[in-house]
Amino acid sequence: MKVALAQMDIVWEDKEKNWEKSEKNIKEAKKKGADLILFPEMSFTGFSMNVAEIGETKEKGNSVESIRRMQSFAKKYEMAVGFGYVERDGDMGKNHYAVVDEEGKVLGDYIKIHPFSYGGEDKYYQPGEYTILFEVKGWKMAMFICYDLRFPEIFSLVSDEAEAIIVAANWPESRREHWMALLKARAIENQCYVLGVNRTGMGGGISYTGDSMVVDPYGNVIGRMEKTEGMLLCEIEKRYVEEWRATFPQKNDRKKNYAFYQTR
């Protein structure tokens, strides 16, 4: 499967401009033969705490506007699309990442489990409670958002089934080495592909360097972009997941039930 990572310079809190940019990226990815395109966290607003302004609500049982827009583009260009958006729930928000297929069906819609308290996200966004597994083009996948990358236990939880894990982020330049190291670590630990898509440019006074990466089950970086806005295309092959897990079956040795003791 060919995956496109759209490393966007997200226009701050301007959904219309970002929806327009996203359609251009989807159109380009289709021309290049991609089966799935992925956008960064909070794809159409940037990492904003302004929930009252950027948050979306469901109307009369319908999906939020960002989902409807992406469903329209997915059907128009006949490809699967992954994207982040903000749902408003009363005075608080929920930081979502969703994937829709080429027919516009919502395959999975995940809420970030770990709000970034260091940046105050926990004051504005409710934590999610569930991991999400879904299937696209015959691949079993899971998805996480930005700060979730620092919590390996949730990756272990999904990787019994997931063959590829998406990590969508607004990860700042100041901690870029952590981003790259942790993406590789999660791929090695879980013997699967990790698809890390990050934004670039400036947003809310913070600098982002992108460093979107695709890491294979062996820990090899098979594609990476640095600061420039653009698109990274990589071919991922399920056989590498299957072969490595069969050849080096570390997952069989993982203990899922532990006894903890407190020493005095």
Side-chain angles (χ1 to χ4, degrees), residues 10-179:
I10 300 170
V11 182
W12 187 250
E13 295 183 351
D14 193 328
K15 282 185 273 190
E16 286 292 346
K17 286 184 179 178
N18 290 308
W19 285 329
E20 183 180 337
K21 290 180 75 168
S22 69
E23 182 177 12
K24 291 177 181 177
N25 276 286
I26 295 168
K27 184 177 181 180
E28 180 185 350
K30 179 64 177 180
K31 287 181 179 177
K32 293 181 176 179
D35 301 294
L36 168 67
I37 184 170
L38 302 173
F39 291 97
E41 174 187 20
M42 294 193 190
S43 310
F44 315 120
T45 60
F47 187 63
S48 169
M49 303 300 109
N50 189 5
V51 175
E53 179 66 26
I54 68 172
E56 302 179 39
T57 56
K58 297 176 182 179
E59 298 178 3
K60 298 180 181 179
N62 293 325
S63 298
V64 299
E65 179 65 15
S66 285
I67 288 183
R68 295 199 298 271
R69 292 285 184 116
M70 294 303 110
Q71 287 174 319
S72 173
F73 296 156
K75 289 188 283 188
K76 181 177 179 179
Y77 298 103
E78 299 180 319
M79 68 181 305
V81 182
F83 57 95
Y85 70 95
V86 172
E87 177 189 2
R88 187 168 65 249
D89 184 6
D91 294 331
M92 296 286 282
K94 295 178 181 178
N95 185 346
H96 284 256
Y97 199 82
V99 175
V100 299
D101 69 12
E102 66 274 14
E103 296 178 351
K105 179 182 177 182
V106 178
L107 301 177
D109 192 350
Y110 167 76
I111 299 171
K112 189 177 185 179
I113 290 175
H114 300 97
F116 186 45
S117 61
Y118 181 81
E121 185 181 8
D122 61 321
K123 295 179 175 64
Y124 301 93
Y125 289 90
Q126 302 173 25
E129 298 180 355
Y130 305 102
T131 59
I132 297 289
L133 285 160
F134 64 99
E135 190 169 313
V136 57
K137 299 292 183 180
W139 281 76
K140 293 178 181 177
M141 292 191 174
M143 50 191 160
F144 294 114
I145 300 174
C146 204
Y147 191 46
D148 286 333
L149 184 60
R150 292 186 181 272
F151 300 90
E153 59 274 14
I154 57 174
F155 286 75
S156 295
L157 182 65
V158 298
S159 69
D160 281 346
E161 295 187 47
E163 297 153 329
I165 300 175
I166 299 163
V167 183
N170 276 204
W171 196 285
E173 179 179 15
S174 58
R175 292 180 291 278
R176 66 185 299 213
E177 294 297 331
H178 295 194
W179 162 256

Side-chain angles (χ1 to χ4, degrees), residues 180-213:
M180 292 183 284
L182 291 170
L183 288 174
K184 292 184 69 174
R186 298 296 91 85
I188 293 167
E189 291 164 351
N190 296 289
Q191 298 182 299
C192 67
Y193 283 94
V194 172
L195 316 173
V197 57
N198 192 26
R199 70 157 295 172
T200 190
M202 293 289 297
I206 298 173
S207 175
Y208 300 90
T209 51
D211 299 302
S212 297
M213 293 168 52

